[in-house]
Structures are given as structure tokens and as C-alpha cells.
């Protein structure tokens, strides 16, 4: 069980005549990514601002490591803030400062590091977030996606213990959204910080979060692990999740589990009625982290997207191919047994060339390292069981590289 | 809704509010000033920020100060000559121009010009930073926004206002000489001799005290208006910033004139 880090107990907040928070109870665990979901204007950002102390609650307590933040003196609060980073919804970059100055500011003002150390740390973050070459630009000269990345670089430059992300992907295209989610997950793994994310991005956030809380009508309506949330029968939660999913289905390749489940059910009906067998193949991209690191997060996602387009060219119209996690592609192939699936994957490895997937200069030894897991669906087998089977390491029937 | 309507039309409550609100506001401004002033001296000391502001408030105002100083001196020369000639004391023109400039017009007009040029910019810049959450961002980074934004402007104003006043006075005296001596024929020796004999150290000190007080008023009011843009009930966003800028200019100009009267009555 993870260690409890932040607790919100019975938090109330009113702005004028509007009661925004009506008794919030929320636990945030150390080293986890907790996502707060909810409709527009329900007070998600207000809740996040309470955690960092930008907004004081009218009633209730916010505890950090069991100690109420309100009872802390100025020095303790200062120490507390130095552990936090906050990525604002509107980026809140200093528009009269260059990108470099923006990222360097927290280090310059609050740390005792020499200017050489600050320069190298800032350059490292800029390199990781593909911002090299933009040092002297001003925020107004950057695109929305770049601004987000600068804000992320500024938030991560102090190596914080807790990072609060207020809608980090709003206004980005699907590729960049996936890139930002990858970044959050990657850095969270790398640095081990605790993250609280406010997001609308369903289903993407299910793949990066360890815990999800839904804010509705001023209260935390449901809280739990992503699987529990997706399985929840609560009608409000389900209509919220499905409403966003349907919208996203049109613009992104990312499919949610319930969505894939629907496709699976359709294939199952075909199997039962027409005895058309089908298989589920899960292609796991083993070296996405390496691609992200060497090519950058956005390019990493572009490569992945192009790879999926190449797969789609090779499957029939009744088959489906969708990204169902940050690095997993799921294929539902009708009339395919294990040998045919293997042949299909072999064909992929032979026909798709690495240089077709990448527009920019790739690095030496650039390859997609893929593990293919296979499961054949039997009549009446539940989706979950087939998926688990396809994902299990015992059923990896081929490991191949696309170079 | 009903409660609000009752509040709005309750004359006793309205009277109370109209008294309490300005007092509360004055208290907030005083606290804001003290925080800004004390933070000038906290370590780590960042002179580069003050220098930047000195450049913006002082250096960039020199042209407009010279221009207004020159024309103020010239018009004083004309008017002074016309008035003094009625008493046959045209020779006193140097003294009249120098004393009016050093004691009164130099500090006041310099302050008003700087309000228009730099004070409005201070309010607008800080106001935009407030509405675009940049001040909140500073707060989350544990950077004291008052120390970061207000203190350098306050320090720079305290440095620049007396210097700009000195420039205004000098150019004004030369302007008076230009019209008095160049156009109207007063002997240049007499003009400068009168300037020298009539201006005492107290006059200069009084002028500089005024300019320091105006520096505090202008920097505090303009920064305060920008800093609390989000608290305005009559306008949000860009409208809020425009209202803050207008209030900053109007309130600081009026306060400069009021405090000038008070200071003059004490300094005389």
C-alpha cells in the first residue's frame, strides 16, 4: 500500500453565491498519478489550487504528511511550496521573458546553484522536451504545444516531489496529447514524483493514472483504480466517460477498453452466428521509451501513428486496429489462427521499413522492437479473459523488429 | 438575491460601506508599500532588476522630461517677465523662474509626466501578469511576487524621481533664460545671479523631499492597482486591466497634487 501524502478532509469553498466544493474527501498517495476528472466548471482547478495553497478553503482541512497546511508557519509553507510544481491550464509563462529565462527562473530565484549548473539543467530539460533552438524565443512566438512543453519543463526543472497538472493537454492535437501523457508517465517513473492531474482526456488518463477521482456536484463521487472506475455501474460516471469517449473516437487512434470491448462483442456475434473465428493480437512496443528519449515525445508518437497506418493498410475492412494503451496496439482479426497471425506479423516486420515511419533524421540503430501476443477467441469467452491471455508473456508468439 | 437588494438599498449600510471601504483600501495600500519597501533590502539582493527598472522609469523618461521642462521654463519666462514688468522688477525673473521650478513645478510636473509614461505601464504590465496567472505562477514557485515585481519598481522610482526632477529644474531654468534673456532682453548675468542668490539649500531639499514622496505614491499606487486587478468588481480580464490602468493614473495624479499641498504647507 502506497504511503498517504495529501489528504483533503471535508473541504468547502464558495465564490460569491456559488458553492463550488461541498465537502471534498480525497486521498493522494505518494509516488502515484492521481487524476481528477469531471465536467467543465465543477471546480477541478479550484480543488487543485487548494492543494498548493493558492486558494484557502472556507472549511475543512488539507493535510500534507498528516500535518494541516493551514497550521504551518510562513517558513514551513515556503519549504512546502519548494516541493511542489504547478502546471497551469493556460501555461502562465512569463511573456516578457524568453523560453530559457522562463525555465531557469525557479532555479535562479530559489536555488543556490551556480549559473553554469542552472544552464546545464535547463538545457537538459529543453533537450528532453524537444525545445532546443527555442531558447531565445518569447512565449508569444511559440505554438500551443510548445508552450505546454515549456510549462512542463519549468514545472520539472526543480525536480519536484509533487507536480500538479491542470489540464496539461487541453488544446493539443491527438499526437501531441499522447506525447504529453507519455512525458508525464515517463518523468513520473524516472523521478518518482507524486502527480495530481486534472484532465478530460478519457480514455488516455486511464493508462497513465494509478488512481482516479470523479468530481461531481462539489463532491468526489467516485474514487478508485482505473479498472474499478471503468467497471463502475454509476450512470453519471458512465455517461460522462462514454460522452467523452465518443467524441474522442473521431479524432484519435486511442480506444478505451469499453470501446474495444464493443468491437469484441460485434466480432463475437459474428463468431456465434456465422462461425467466423477471430483472434486478438496485442502488439507491445517495447522500446517506446527509447524512441521518446532519442527522437522526442512528439516524433515518437508520429512514428507510432504511422506504424498503425501501415498496419491498417494490411488488414481487411472488418478488422480493427487501435491503440489501447500508450504502447500497445490491439488488433481484432477475423478468420485468423495462430499461424496466420504469425505470418501476418512476419509480413509486417518484412514489409514495413523504419525509414518510412520517420520524417526526421533517425539515430543509428533505430528500430521498433515489438512483442506480439496472441489469443484466439472461443465462443462465449469474455473479452477480459481473451485480452489477459493475449497480453500474458506465455502467449507472446513472436518478437520482431521493424528497422 | 433578496439579501443583496436589501443590502444595496439600506442607506445606513451603504454609508458604512462607503466609509469602511476607503479606510480598508488605504490600509491595504500602506501594507503593500511596506512589504514592497522592506523587500528591497532582503537577500539575495538583485541589483540587475532595479537597474532594468531605472532604465525603464528613468532613462526612457529623460526625453519627455527635457521637453516638458524646457517649455515650462520658457512659458514661465514669458509670463514672469509680463508680470514682473508691471512692478518694474524684470531683473527678478531668474529668481521667479528658479524658485517656482525647484520648489513646485519641477517635482510635480516630473511626477505627472512619469505617471503618464511609466506608471500606466507598471499598472498594465502587472495587471496582465495577474489575469494571465503569472503572479499565481510566481506564488507556486515560492517566489514572493511583491519582492519580484513591486520592490524593484519602488526602488527604481526612489532613485529616478529626484534625478528626473533635477533634470527638469535645470532644463527649465535654461528655458526661462532662453525667453527672458534671448527674446526679452534681460541681461544674462543678472538672470543667473538672481538664480544663484535666491535659491537656498532648503528649496532644493524641499523639492527633493517632494519628489521622493511622489516616487513612493506613484510606484505604490500603480503597482497596487495592477496587482489587485482581479479583485475589481466592475470589470474582469482586459477590461479590468484597462480600468486598473486608468485608476492608477487618475488616483496617483490626484494624490500627487494633494500631497504636494500638504508637503508645501509643512515645508514652508
Amino acid at each position: 500500500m502506497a504511503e498517504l501524502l495529501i489528504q483533503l478532509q471535508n473541504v468547502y469553498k464558495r465564490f460569491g453565491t456559488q458553492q463550488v466544493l461541498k465537502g471534498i474527501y480525497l486521498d493522494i498517495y505518494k509516488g502515484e498519478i492521481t487524476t481528477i476528472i469531471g465536467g467543465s466548471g465543477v471546480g477541478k482547478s479550484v480543488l487543485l489550487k487548494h492543494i498548493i495553497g493558492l486558494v484557502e478553503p472556507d472549511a475543512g482541512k488539507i493535510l500534507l504528511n498528516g500535518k494541516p497546511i493551514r497550521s504551518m508557519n510562513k517558513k514551513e509553507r515556503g519549504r512546502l511550496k519548494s516541493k511542489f510544481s504547478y502546471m497551469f491550464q493556460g501555461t502562465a509563462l512569463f511573456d516578457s521573458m524568453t523560453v530559457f529565462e522562463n525555465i531557469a527562473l525557479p532555479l535562479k530565484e530559489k536555488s543556490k546553484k551556480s549559473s553554469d549548473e542552472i544552464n546545464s539543467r535547463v538545457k537538459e530539460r529543453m533537450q528532453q522536451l524537444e525545445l532546443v533552438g527555442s531558447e531565445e524565443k518569447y512565449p508569444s512566438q511559440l505554438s500551443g504545444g510548445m508552450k505546454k512543453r515549456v510549462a512542463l519543463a519549468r514545472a520539472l526543472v526543480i525536480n519536484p516531489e509533487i507536480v500538479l497538472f491542470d489540464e496539461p493537454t487541453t488544446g493539443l492535437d491527438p499526437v501531441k496529447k499522447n506525447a504529453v501523457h507519455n512525458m508525464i508517465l515517463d518523468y513520473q517513473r524516472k523521478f518518482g514524483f507524486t502527480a495530481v492531474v486534472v484532465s478530460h482526456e478519457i480514455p488516455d488518463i486511464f493508462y497513465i493514472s494509478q488512481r482516479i477521482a470523479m468530481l461531481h456536484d462539489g463532491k468526489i463521487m467516485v474514487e478508485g483504480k482505473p479498472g474499478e472506475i471503468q467497471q463502475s455501474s454509476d450512470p453519471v460516471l458512465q455517461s460522462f466517460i462514454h460522452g467523452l469517449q465518443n467524441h474522442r473516437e473521431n479524432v484519435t487512434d486511442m480506444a478505451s477498453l469499453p470501446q474495444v470491448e464493443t468491437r469484441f462483442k460485434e466480432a463475437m456475434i459474428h463468431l456465434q452466428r456465422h462461425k467466423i473465428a477471430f483472434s486478438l493480437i496485442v502488439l507491445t512496443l517495447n522500446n517506446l521509451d527509447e524512441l521518446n528519449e532519442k527522437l522526442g515525445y512528439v516524433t515518437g508518437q508520429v512514428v507510432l501513428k504511422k506504424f498503425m497506418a501501415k498496419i491498417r493498410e494490411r488488414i481487411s475492412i472488418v478488422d480493427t486496429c487501435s491503440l489501447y494503451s500508450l504502447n500497445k496496439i490491439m488488433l481484432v482479426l477475423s478468420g485468423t489462427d495462430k499461424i496466420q497471425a504469425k505470418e501476418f506479423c512476419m509480413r509486417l516486420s518484412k514489409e514495413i521499413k523504419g525509414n518510412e515511419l520517420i520524417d526526421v533524421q533517425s539515430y543509428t540503430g533505430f528500430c521498433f522492437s515489438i512483442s506480439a501476443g496472441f489469443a484466439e477467441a472461443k465462443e462465449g469467452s469474455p473479452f477480459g479473459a481473451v485480452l489477459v491471455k493475449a497480453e500474458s508473456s506465455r502467449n507472446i508468439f513472436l518478437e520482431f523488429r521493424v528497422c | 438575491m433578496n439579501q443583496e437588494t436589501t443590502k444595496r438599498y439600506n442607506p445606513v449600510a451603504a454609508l458604512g460601506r462607503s466609509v469602511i471601504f476607503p479606510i480598508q483600501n488605504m490600509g491595504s495600500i500602506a501594507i503593500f508599500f511596506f512589504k514592497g519597501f522592506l523587500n528591497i533590502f532582503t537577500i539575495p539582493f538583485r541589483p540587475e532588476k532595479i537597474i532594468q527598472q531605472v532604465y525603464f522609469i528613468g532613462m526612457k523618461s529623460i526625453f519627455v522630461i527635457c521637453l516638458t521642462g524646457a517649455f515650462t521654463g520658457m512659458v514661465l519666462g514669458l509670463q514672469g517677465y509680463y508680470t514682473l514688468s508691471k512692478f518694474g522688477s524684470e531683473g527678478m525673473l531668474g529668481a521667479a523662474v528658479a524658485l517656482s521650478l525647484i520648489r513646485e513645478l519641477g517635482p510635480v510636473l516630473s511626477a505627472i509626466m512619469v505617471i503618464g509614461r511609466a506608471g500606466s505601464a507598471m499598472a498594465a504590465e502587472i495587471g496582465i501578469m495577474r489575469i494571465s496567472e503569472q503572479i499565481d505562477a510566481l506564488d507556486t514557485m515560492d517566489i514572493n511576487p511583491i519582492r519580484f515585481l513591486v520592490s524593484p519598481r519602488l526602488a527604481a522610482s526612489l532613485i529616478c524621481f529626484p534625478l528626473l526632477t533635477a533634470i527638469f529644474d535645470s532644463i527649465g531654468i535654461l528655458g526661462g533664460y532662453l525667453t527672458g534673456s534671448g527674446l526679452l532682453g534681460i541681461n544674462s548675468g543678472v538672470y543667473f545671479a538672481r538664480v544663484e542668490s535666491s535659491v537656498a539649500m532648503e528649496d532644493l531639499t524641499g523639492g527633493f523631499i517632494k519628489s521622493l514622496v511622489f516616487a513612493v505614491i506613484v510606484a505604490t499606487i500603480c503597482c497596487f492597482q495592477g496587482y489587485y486587478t482581479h479583485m475589481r468588481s466592475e470589470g474582469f480580464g482586459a477590461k479590468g486591466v484597462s480600468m486598473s490602468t486608468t485608476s492608477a493614473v487618475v488616483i496617483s495624479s490626484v494624490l500627487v497634487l494633494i500631497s504636494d499641498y500638504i508637503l508645501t504647507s509643512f515645508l514652508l
Side-chain angles (χ1 to χ4, degrees), chain B residues 152-211:
Chain B
R153 287 170 170 83
L154 194 56
S157 300
L158 286 168
I159 295 168
C160 294
F161 271 61
L163 294 174
L164 291 172
T165 305
I167 293 170
F168 189 100
D169 293 347
S170 315
I171 300 280
I173 291 168
L174 287 176
Y177 166 75
L178 212 68
T179 43
S181 188
L183 289 177
L184 305 167
I186 293 173
N187 186 289
S188 59
V190 172
Y191 182 85
F192 283 111
R194 286 293 178 192
V195 171
E196 198 190 338
S197 62
S198 63
V199 177
M201 196 59 204
E202 299 86 73
D203 302 319
L204 289 169
T205 321
F208 286 132
I209 289 172
K210 280 184 179 180
S211 69

Side-chain angles (χ1 to χ4, degrees), chain A residues 17 49 52 54 78 81-82 84 86 88 90 92-97 105-106 108-110 154, chain B residues 4 44 46 48-49 125 128-129 132-144 147-148:
Chain A
T17 53
K49 284 179 181 172
I52 203 169
L54 278 177
K81 276 186 183 167
S82 64
F84 275 94
Y86 192 104
F88 284 83
L93 294 173
F94 301 106
D95 41 23
S96 54
M97 290 184 197
L105 186 76
K108 220 170 140 189
E109 290 291 323
K110 296 310 291 183
R154 189 178 69 180
Chain B
E4 274 191 3
R46 299 246 188 258
E48 69 275 7
K49 281 208 193 88
E125 191 182 342
I128 288 171
M129 287 185 80
S132 58
E133 293 183 312
Q134 294 175 45
I135 293 179
D136 286 342
L138 287 172
D139 213 4
T140 62
M141 291 175 204
D142 192 30
I143 299 170
N144 181 346
R147 182 175 182 270
F148 191 79

Side-chain angles (χ1 to χ4, degrees), chain B residues 11-182:
Chain B
V12 180
L15 181 69
R17 268 201 302 278
S18 64
V19 175
I20 292 167
F21 182 71
I23 294 173
Q24 214 173 25
N25 224 2
M26 277 193 280
S28 308
I29 293 172
I31 293 168
F32 186 79
F33 161 69
F34 281 114
K35 280 185 183 169
F37 186 73
L38 293 176
N39 273 307
I40 297 174
F41 309 103
T42 51
I43 46 170
F45 189 58
R46 299 246 188 258
E48 69 275 7
K49 281 208 193 88
I50 298 177
I51 293 168
Q52 270 175 7
Q53 291 302 323
V54 166
Y55 175 75
F56 178 70
I57 299 168
M59 184 68 193
K60 286 193 158 182
S61 301
I62 287 181
F63 177 71
V64 76
I65 289 291
C66 288
L67 207 66
T68 39
F71 281 97
T72 309
M74 281 158 74
V75 85
L76 273 180
L78 285 177
Q79 293 281 18
Y81 183 86
Y82 174 76
T83 315
L84 290 170
S85 64
K86 287 192 173 172
F87 307 102
S89 21
E90 298 91 330
M92 296 298 285
L93 184 69
V97 170
L99 285 176
S100 353
L101 280 169
I102 291 168
R103 296 178 66 103
E104 202 55 57
L105 293 173
V108 173
L109 289 179
S110 306
I112 302 241
M113 292 321 292
V114 178
I115 291 170
R117 213 204 61 77
S120 54
M122 281 185 217
E125 191 182 342
I126 297 177
I128 288 171
M129 287 185 80
R130 167 62 79 187
I131 61 160
S132 58
E133 293 183 312
Q134 294 175 45
I135 293 179
D136 286 342
L138 287 172
D139 213 4
T140 62
M141 291 175 204
D142 192 30
I143 299 170
N144 181 346
I146 292 187
R147 182 175 182 270
F148 191 79
L149 297 170
V150 179
S151 302
R153 287 170 170 83
L154 194 56
S157 300
L158 286 168
I159 295 168
C160 294
F161 271 61
L163 294 174
L164 291 172
T165 305
I167 293 170
F168 189 100
D169 293 347
S170 315
I171 300 280
I173 291 168
L174 287 176
Y177 166 75
L178 212 68
T179 43
S181 188

Side-chain angles (χ1 to χ4, degrees), chain A residues 162-218:
Chain A
I162 306 154
V163 190
L164 309 178
F165 297 94
D166 192 357
E167 303 205 9
T169 54
T170 308
L172 300 183
D173 64 53
V175 168
K176 293 212 178 82
K177 272 181 187 170
N178 288 350
V180 169
H181 286 132
N182 261 295
M183 264 186 264
I184 294 174
L185 188 64
D186 200 15
Y187 282 109
Q188 198 270 338
R189 279 188 198 143
K190 216 178 269 179
F191 302 116
F193 56 73
T194 305
V196 185
V197 186
V198 161
S199 181
H200 284 295
E201 304 303 336
I202 288 172
D204 313 31
I205 47 116
F206 289 130
Y207 307 122
I208 66 163
S209 316
Q210 275 92 37
R211 200 170 286 275
I212 289 173
M214 180 167 173
L215 185 63
H216 181 71
D217 195 24

Side-chain angles (χ1 to χ4, degrees), chain A residues 81-342:
Chain A
K81 276 186 183 167
S82 64
K83 291 181 184 172
F84 275 94
S85 261
Y86 192 104
M87 188 177 156
F88 284 83
Q89 194 176 349
T91 71
L93 294 173
F94 301 106
D95 41 23
S96 54
M97 290 184 197
T98 63
V99 167
F100 188 92
E101 288 167 342
N102 261 290
I103 302 172
L105 186 76
L107 288 178
K108 220 170 140 189
E109 290 291 323
K110 296 310 291 183
S111 76
K112 285 176 182 149
K113 292 186 186 309
S114 69
S115 60
D116 285 346
E117 280 175 295
I118 293 175
N119 282 358
S120 69
R121 174 86 75 87
V122 173
K123 279 185 180 151
E124 189 191 328
R125 287 285 176 277
M126 289 187 77
Q127 211 160 14
Q128 287 164 336
L129 292 162
E130 299 164 71
L131 291 164
V132 177
S134 310
E135 290 87 346
E136 297 306 315
K137 284 187 180 161
Y138 286 90
S140 58
Q141 297 170 304
L142 303 177
S143 67
M146 277 183 98
K147 277 187 201 167
K148 290 269 181 194
R149 277 182 278 150
V150 176
L152 192 59
R154 189 178 69 180
L156 297 176
V157 78
I158 54 162
N159 292 344
E161 287 177 31
I162 306 154
V163 190
L164 309 178
F165 297 94
D166 192 357
E167 303 205 9
T169 54
T170 308
L172 300 183
D173 64 53
V175 168
K176 293 212 178 82
K177 272 181 187 170
N178 288 350
V180 169
H181 286 132
N182 261 295
M183 264 186 264
I184 294 174
L185 188 64
D186 200 15
Y187 282 109
Q188 198 270 338
R189 279 188 198 143
K190 216 178 269 179
F191 302 116
F193 56 73
T194 305
V196 185
V197 186
V198 161
S199 181
H200 284 295
E201 304 303 336
I202 288 172
D204 313 31
I205 47 116
F206 289 130
Y207 307 122
I208 66 163
S209 316
Q210 275 92 37
R211 200 170 286 275
I212 289 173
M214 180 167 173
L215 185 63
H216 181 71
D217 195 24
K219 289 183 175 171
I220 297 292
M221 200 178 75
V222 199
E223 189 189 351
K225 296 200 161 85
E228 293 164 11
I229 297 285
Q230 291 194 78
Q231 301 302 325
S232 164
S233 56
D234 189 293
V236 179
L237 178 66
Q238 284 308 321
S239 86
F240 176 73
I241 291 177
H242 286 111
L244 287 177
Q245 263 167 211
N246 292 341
H247 166 69
R248 272 182 66 70
E249 198 174 3
N250 300 325
V251 290
T252 170
D253 286 323
M254 188 75 93
S256 70
L257 277 181
Q259 224 172 306
V260 176
E261 213 173 333
T262 313
R263 285 175 194 167
F264 180 88
K265 278 178 190 159
E266 284 165 9
M268 186 59 84
I269 292 167
H270 278 275
L271 171 67
Q272 284 164 344
R273 282 192 194 154
H274 312 290
K275 301 291 169 209
I276 302 171
F278 72 95
S279 309
L280 204 121
I281 301 174
V282 173
L283 300 176
T284 308
L285 199 64
N286 296 320
N287 63 339
L288 185 64
D289 288 349
E290 180 194 313
L291 295 180
N292 282 337
E293 198 180 311
K294 294 200 170 157
L295 298 170
Y297 289 90
V298 176
T299 318
Q301 285 300 317
V302 171
V303 170
L304 189 61
K305 219 177 148 106
K306 283 193 177 166
F307 181 60
M308 285 176 63
K310 295 280 176 198
I311 297 175
R312 283 206 187 98
E313 286 169 12
R314 287 163 176 80
I315 59 176
S316 77
I317 197 156
V318 290
D319 300 334
T320 57
C321 164
S322 53
L323 194 65
Y324 95 95
S325 167
L326 291 175
N327 67 335
K328 286 181 180 171
I329 298 166
M330 193 179 66
L331 299 163
V332 177
L333 302 180
S334 58
T336 310
D337 60 17
K338 198 168 182 175
I339 298 164
Q340 286 165 318
K342 198 168 183 175

